[in-house]
Amino acid sequence: MVKNQQASAYMAAILYSFIIGLSFLFVKIALQTAEPFDILAHRFTIAFAAATVPVLFGWVKLSIRVKDVIAILPLALLYPALFFSFQAFGLVYSSSSEAGIIQAAIPIFTMVLAAYVLKERSTWTQKGFTVLSVAGVMFIFVMKGVDVESASLKGSLLILLSALSSAMYNTAARKMTQRFKLTELTYIMSAIGFVAFNAIALVRHGAAGTVGTYVQPFREPDFVLAIVYLGVLSSLVTSFLSNYTLSRIEAFKMSAFNHMSTIVTMIAGVVILNESLAWYHLAGAVCIIIGVLGSNTNLQKKTNRHRAPAKK
């Protein structure tokens, strides 16, 4: 039973990585029509609407009390609210390559936080493989080129705060999934994202006097396709998948799967956008795959099991 639960958790983590990896393609499509905060507002509007439909039809039963919302609120603020907000503002002052390098360290932050908060103990071998997967992502971004002259301390700090928000979410969600139903966690996270990002977008439009243009992007079919993917799959479904995985495996193991999305993004760029594939993409991808597999394999414990009979 335990093995089956872990297998389903790893399948969920892989599907999560695949959806997130493809989401960058749809973000590029959406950015041709709308601004970043409008995209966030619209994607979480779609996500919240999609989460509400099965509740209205009675397919999903929710028993959410006010005290439950208060308990889950900090988790939902970490992700999606703070994570995406810090990321969006950080990208204003730094390049995507700089952001990618900093956010590649999320599994390391998660491993440290999980060790202190959740008492999750990883072996030195797992730590080494986690660092290897981080190095693979960083290597790809460094080889693609980082414009040092455009580097901004403000941008780097905001991206770092985004990465820390993700790490804290991974750690906190591990506990929350033991207390609440996955559907309830996912629903409240979607609701918080809907309220937070629509508020930000409307305030920005109100200050600029452009509220009338808020829904104009929906006139473009490509934008509608992109925002439905980002809202339903890349926001709602991935929230459920990450919560499900965190309810079954350690936080640092789940966090390592974020790097797999980098590989999916590269493949999508080559196949769909006809982008070039360089040797450093392949080298980085190999490091990522080996690192993720190694960090999710507890070699030390297996060794101890083999040694145990000799002590009798």
Side-chain angles (χ1 to χ4, degrees):
M1 174 66 85
V2 175
K3 288 185 177 179
N4 289 336
Q5 289 180 345
Q6 285 191 336
S8 61
Y10 284 123
M11 288 299 296
I14 292 171
L15 181 57
Y16 166 89
S17 301
F18 183 80
I19 294 173
I20 293 295
L22 286 179
S23 69
F24 292 99
L25 173 65
F26 289 95
V27 168
K28 285 185 177 181
I29 295 173
L31 283 171
Q32 295 175 3
T33 310
E35 297 180 352
F37 272 107
D38 287 357
I39 293 172
L40 287 171
H42 294 319
R43 74 185 281 182
F44 279 98
T45 297
I46 297 295
F48 182 61
T52 302
V53 169
V55 175
L56 293 176
F57 280 92
W59 302 332
V60 174
K61 302 292 184 181
L62 298 178
S63 56
I64 302 174
R65 298 166 294 180
V66 174
K67 67 176 184 179
D68 295 333
V69 175
I70 295 173
I72 298 172
L73 184 60
L75 177 69
L77 288 176
L78 287 171
Y79 185 94
L82 290 179
F83 173 78
F84 282 113
S85 295
F86 284 135
Q87 185 184 71
F89 280 114
L91 287 171
V92 173
Y93 303 102
S94 61
S95 68
S96 58
S97 294
E98 292 164 349
I101 290 172
I102 295 172
Q103 292 200 324
I106 289 175
I108 294 179
F109 296 148
T110 302
M111 183 176 284
V112 173
L113 285 173
Y116 283 98
V117 178
L118 304 176
K119 307 304 178 185
E120 291 182 358
R121 300 306 178 195
S122 56
T123 66
W124 283 105
T125 302
Q126 288 173 321
K127 290 182 176 69
F129 278 117
T130 299
V131 172
L132 178 63
S133 68
V134 172
V137 176
M138 289 183 172
F139 179 72
I140 292 172
F141 280 109
V142 169
M143 292 301 295
K144 286 173 66 177
V146 178
D147 188 357
V148 179
E149 294 182 357
S150 68
S152 163
L153 178 60
K154 182 188 293 186
S156 297
L157 287 175
L158 288 170
I159 296 298
L160 178 61
L161 288 173
S162 174
L164 289 173
S165 298
S166 178
M168 287 189 286
Y169 159 74
N170 289 331
T171 305
R174 176 77 170 144
K175 276 191 172 182
M176 286 295 184
T177 53
Q178 311 303 322
R179 290 181 53 190
F180 300 99
K181 293 180 180 178
L182 298 179
T183 52
E184 293 173 350
L185 277 174
T186 304
Y187 188 82
I188 292 178
M189 288 170 63
S190 299
I192 295 297
F194 164 71
V195 173
F197 292 119
N198 274 282
I200 293 173
L202 288 172
V203 167
R204 287 167 61 88
H205 276 288
T210 58
V211 176
T213 65
Y214 186 49
V215 296
Q216 280 187 359
F218 284 96
R219 297 176 181 177
E220 300 294 330
D222 288 346
F223 177 83
V224 174
L225 173 64
I227 211 67
V228 168
Y229 180 93
L230 293 173
V232 177
L233 292 178
S234 189
S235 297
L236 181 62
V237 173
T238 56
S239 292
F240 182 84
L241 291 173
S242 63
N243 288 334
Y244 175 79
T245 304
L246 286 166
S247 71
R248 297 288 187 269
I249 64 175
E250 291 90 334
F252 76 89
K253 290 183 178 180
M254 167 58 192
S255 185
F257 276 92
N258 284 309
H259 291 160
M260 294 296 292
S261 62
T262 303
I263 298 177
V264 176
T265 301
M266 287 191 318
I267 295 174
V270 172
V271 175
I272 301 175
L273 301 179
N274 295 318
E275 295 178 350
S276 60
L277 186 67
W279 66 270
Y280 56 81
H281 289 117
L282 298 176
V286 170
C287 291
I288 292 170
I289 293 172
I290 294 175
V292 171
L293 292 176
S295 63
N296 280 273
T297 303
N298 200 336
L299 300 176
Q300 185 66 41
K301 287 186 177 180
K302 289 182 179 180
T303 302
N304 289 340
R305 289 195 190 102
H306 287 307
R307 289 178 181 173
K311 295 179 181 180
K312 293 181 180 179

